[in-house]
Each structure stands twice: as C-alpha cells, then as structure tokens.
Amino acid sequence: MGTEKQNIPNRWMIAIMGTLLQVALGTVYAWSFFQKPVMDANNWTNSEAAWAFSLAIFSLGLAAAWGGINLPKFGPRKLAMTGGFLFSLGYLIAAYALSIKSLGLLYVGYGVIGGIGLGLGYVTPVATAAKWFPDKKGFITGMVVMGFGFGALIMAKILAPIFMSMTGGNLVLVFSYVGTVMFFITLPAGYYMINPPAGFVPPGYTPPATSASAQASQDAITARECIMSGKFLMMWTVFFFNIIAGIMFISFQSPLLQDLLKKTMDPATLSDPQVITGLAAAGATLIAISSIFNGVGRFFWGGLSDKIGRVQTFRLILGTQLLVFIALLFVSNPIVFGVLVCYVLLCYGGGFGSMPSFVLDVFGQKLMPIVYGTILTAWGCGGIVGPQIVAFLKDNFANQAAQYTFVAAAVLLFLGLLITLALSNKKFEPSGAAKIAATEEITVK
C-alpha cells in the first residue's frame, strides 16, 4: 500500500504545471497589442486583422470539444503536449505569413493551427485538475484557468516589448521568438498532465453519499442526452453572452483606449512618433492590468461559486456587468474607462472559473470532459461574434463604434441574466431518471 502511495504524484504539482501551461496559451489574449502594428505593416483593415484572433478562438472552441470527447482515449499528456506543439507552431507559421504578407496563411497558422493547439491544450489541464481535486472543484479549476488570464500580461508587458525592442519592431522576428519560447514552456508543462488512479480520494475528503439507484441512473446518462438537453443549451448561451461581452474588449481594448485618449489630445500632435509610442504603451498597460483582473476573476469567482452556488455566481457576473456597460456609455475619462474594463475582464474570467465546476456538478465527473469540451464551443463562437462586431463598427461607424459596442454588450448580458433565472444547480436527470430520483428523494446542492 505504501508503494502505491509513493507512485501517486503530488496533485498540487499537476495543478501548478497545468496553470503554467494555461499562462503560455493565454498569450493569445494579447492580440490587441499586435492588432494595430499588423494592420499598419500590411495595410489590412480592422476586420481583416481581427479575423486571425477570431479564428484562433473559434478553432479553440471546436478543438476543445473534440479534445474533451477524446481525452479518455488519448489521455491528458498526449493531448496537452500536442496542443502545446500546435500552438507554438502556429506562431512560427504566422511569422512566415507576415514575412510574405499573406493574410490567408496568417489565418491558417495563427488562427486554425494555433487555435487547435489552444483548444487541446486548454481543456486538458482543466478536466485533469478537476479529477485530482474533488474537494476543491471551484477553487482549483479557477486557479488553473487563472493562468490563461495572466497570459496576456506576460505577453503585453514582458515578451512582446522585449522582442519588439530587440528586433526594432520586426513582427516576423517577434512572432518567431514567441513561438520558440512557447515550445520550451508548453511541452514540459504538458508532460505533467496525467489522470489520478482509479478510485482516488484525497486524504481527509469524504465523497457525498449517493444512493445506489441514484448512482445507477446517473451512470446510465449519456453524453448525447446531456448535450441535447435544455439545461445544457441554457448554460451554453449564458456562457456565450458573457464571453462576447468580455472578448470585445480583449480583442480591441488597446485601440479603444487609444481612440479615447486621442479625443483628449491636440490633433496636431497625433502624428508625433513619441505620441504614437505613448499611445501604444498606454494600450499595452491596459492589456496588462486588465489581464490580471481576467486571471484573478477566474480564481475569485470560481472560489465564490463553491460558497454561494454556480447559478447565483453567474447571476452576479452578468447583472453587475450590465450596469457597467450602461455606465460606459457616459464615460469619457480614460482612467474610469480602464477601471470599468478591468471589472468586465474580472467577470469575463469569472465565467471560465465557474463553468467547469458548474458542468461537473450538473453532469457528473464521468461526462465532464465531454460536456465541458462541448460547452467551450461557446467560446469559439464568441471569439467570432465579439471581435467582428467591434471590427465592423470601427470600420463603418468609427466615431460611434464604442457606444454601439457597449449597447450590444448590455443587451446580450440582459438576455443572459434572464436565462440564469431559469437555471438551477441541481444535477441533470433525463425524464426517466427524474422519476427514479423523485422516489428516492435525492437532494443535490
């Protein structure tokens, strides 16, 4: 028995390496740092450049769904390392695409290949860590996905500025260097991703008691029944709306802040290289600070959901953001704007910190990788809709783009809030299983 215990790895090391993997993958959230330089260097529009980011997030969602379904077949180590390899390769292909000014190849490299790597790499540590920590579900999944939120900070304030300075702003070399660094981070971190042994229970933890008939009915539920259920659809939609609201800022927060700052400046100074550099630095600072809130939000809201409930947490996340987006319609001060953006990112991260444990509670551990992977398609769809809404508005309604963006987000958040009122924290039960459960008087928190 003692030998078996020695062979069980430290579960906290798995969680830490999963978090490190997420930090590397989360550098994709610093895309707005590159949005304007990529546009200027290639004479591309806002929409054309933004599609690289949109495709990356869309591919992430699809790959996460596939990865969740196939995680039991291939195991977390293979999927995590494959994801890290493809994500790193995506940066290198993007570097070559920029060298030949090929928008299509940028989409394939950064968007599709890199995005697939994102999806495989993202879903694996979340599902794996949840299995190691049945006693701290919200806390630990919040901690792991917190790393993804911090990725933009690492990119916007460390990697990108260093490489931009080293190369004199040569985006081809910058993307090449970033891709190389990603190889050295993601592959070792992915190697640590393994499942706990069958029947693993942390010391001092007693799993909640469940009757034999209730367990049998839960085991009989199929992934198809879960994914085709009304409850799944409502959870997916709430997640989707919250993602759109946050990813609008993630994809364009730097240009939006720079536009706001320009309105407070003398138009004659806007062509001054020092002013342009200062505006870019201000945008990078907002990316960095808001990414901290994105990361902390995953940890904070995930932990809070353990105490007040998953649905209650989403009601707070959507309801408070609704008020913030209404307030943004009347804000002209860049500092106040930045503060409100940080709160939106806190709530955006909160959705990712709370959803894994929500899925785990509602659909059970056995189906969690499949259902959670599928629900991440909401992220992929949000990655298309959110950035493209802002890109379209900036290309066609430049002066009113920000206001129109805030109105659209407020409407979606209001609809999401209404949906949460119809949701509950109870376990999913198909109609037949519900009758069995009723006779057993099973209560699930």
Side-chain angles (χ1 to χ4, degrees):
M1 194 75 171
T3 307
E4 287 180 9
K5 286 187 177 179
Q6 283 182 340
N7 291 333
I8 297 177
N10 187 316
R11 63 178 184 156
W12 285 102
M13 179 57 71
I14 292 170
I16 290 169
M17 296 306 286
T19 304
L20 178 61
L21 176 59
Q22 295 281 36
V23 170
L25 300 176
T27 57
V28 71
Y29 271 173
W31 172 258
S32 68
F33 181 96
F34 298 112
Q35 172 77 14
K36 196 170 187 309
V38 165
M39 287 170 54
D40 293 343
N42 299 277
N43 293 318
W44 294 334
T45 66
N46 280 287
S47 183
E48 286 173 335
W51 267 109
F53 177 74
S54 290
L55 285 171
I57 302 301
F58 180 71
S59 300
L60 183 163
L62 295 182
W66 184 91
I69 293 170
N70 289 279
L71 186 57
K73 177 181 177 182
F74 294 104
R77 176 178 288 167
K78 284 184 180 178
L79 283 189
M81 293 185 72
T82 300
F85 175 81
L86 292 176
F87 177 64
S88 307
L89 180 63
Y91 270 108
L92 298 183
I93 295 174
Y96 179 68
L98 292 172
S99 72
I100 62 173
K101 298 185 181 296
S102 171
L103 189 60
L105 187 59
L106 178 67
Y107 292 163
V108 172
Y110 189 91
V112 178
I113 294 175
I116 290 172
L118 277 168
L120 298 180
Y122 183 90
V123 71
T124 305
V126 177
T128 303
K131 293 178 181 178
W132 282 97
F133 290 85
D135 51 334
K136 298 180 176 68
K137 291 180 289 190
F139 177 88
I140 208 66
T141 55
M143 170 186 153
V144 172
V145 297
M146 176 179 68
F148 200 92
F150 283 146
L153 169 65
I154 302 301
M155 176 64 83
K157 297 305 284 185
I158 300 177
L159 292 180
I162 288 175
F163 292 149
M164 290 287 276
S165 176
M166 283 174 52
T167 64
N170 186 323
L171 290 174
V172 175
L173 292 178
V174 169
F175 274 65
S176 298
Y177 292 160
V178 171
T180 302
V181 170
M182 291 301 115
F183 273 118
F184 285 103
I185 297 176
T186 60
L187 294 181
Y191 183 81
Y192 273 83
M193 296 301 103
I194 59 172
N195 284 322
F200 172 78
V201 177
Y205 173 67
T206 303
T210 306
S211 71
S213 59
Q215 186 62 50
S217 66
Q218 193 70 29
D219 290 342
I221 296 173
T222 66
R224 178 181 175 82
E225 287 176 312
C226 295
I227 294 169
M228 298 301 291
S229 68
K231 191 157 193 173
F232 176 89
L233 178 60
M234 288 192 289
M235 290 168 66
W236 189 98
T237 306
V238 167
F239 199 33
F240 175 61
F241 287 163
N242 189 60
I243 286 166
I244 291 178
I247 213 163
M248 284 175 169
F249 278 127
I250 288 173
S251 57
F252 277 95
Q253 58 183 309
S254 179
L256 285 173
L257 177 64
Q258 291 183 52
D259 290 345
L260 194 60
L261 287 168
K262 288 175 184 176
K263 293 179 181 179
T264 67
M265 301 170 66
D266 181 354
T269 66
L270 296 180
S271 59
D272 186 330
Q274 288 187 330
V275 172
I276 295 173
T277 301
L279 289 171
T285 299
L286 179 58
I287 294 172
I289 295 173
S290 66
S291 72
I292 295 174
F293 283 84
N294 184 356
V296 171
R298 295 162 188 249
F299 187 72
F300 168 74
W301 290 107
L304 183 64
S305 73
D306 282 340
K307 295 178 170 60
I308 69 172
R310 319 303 180 191
V311 172
Q312 291 81 355
T313 298
F314 272 101
R315 289 171 187 164
L316 280 175
I317 287 173
L318 272 64
T320 53
Q321 276 187 103
L322 172 60
L323 299 178
V324 166
F325 274 100
I326 293 172
L328 279 167
L329 290 168
F330 306 98
V331 168
S332 58
N333 184 298
I335 295 177
V336 176
F337 173 83
V339 170
L340 295 180
V341 168
C342 286
Y343 184 76
V344 171
L345 269 290
L346 184 82
C347 294
Y348 174 83
F352 287 96
S354 305
M355 186 54 75
S357 47
F358 195 8
V359 171
L360 198 58
D361 286 352
V362 172
F363 297 106
Q365 179 171 301
K366 185 182 78 169
L367 296 175
M368 191 270 189
I370 298 174
V371 178
Y372 179 61
T374 306
I375 216 165
L376 284 178
T377 57
W379 192 5
C381 294
I384 293 285
V385 176
Q388 290 307 314
I389 287 175
V390 185
F392 174 80
L393 293 173
K394 283 182 66 63
D395 283 337
N396 295 278
F397 306 96
N399 294 330
Q400 294 83 31
Q403 286 73 24
Y404 291 167
T405 297
F406 304 150
V407 170
V411 170
L412 293 176
L413 288 166
F414 177 70
L415 293 174
L417 181 60
L418 291 180
I419 294 172
T420 62
L421 299 179
L423 273 171
S424 73
N425 297 313
K426 292 182 179 178
K427 276 197 178 295
F428 168 70
E429 294 164 343
S431 55
K435 292 177 183 177
I436 297 173
T439 60
E440 295 285 337
E441 296 183 353
I442 298 168
T443 303
V444 180
K445 283 187 178 182

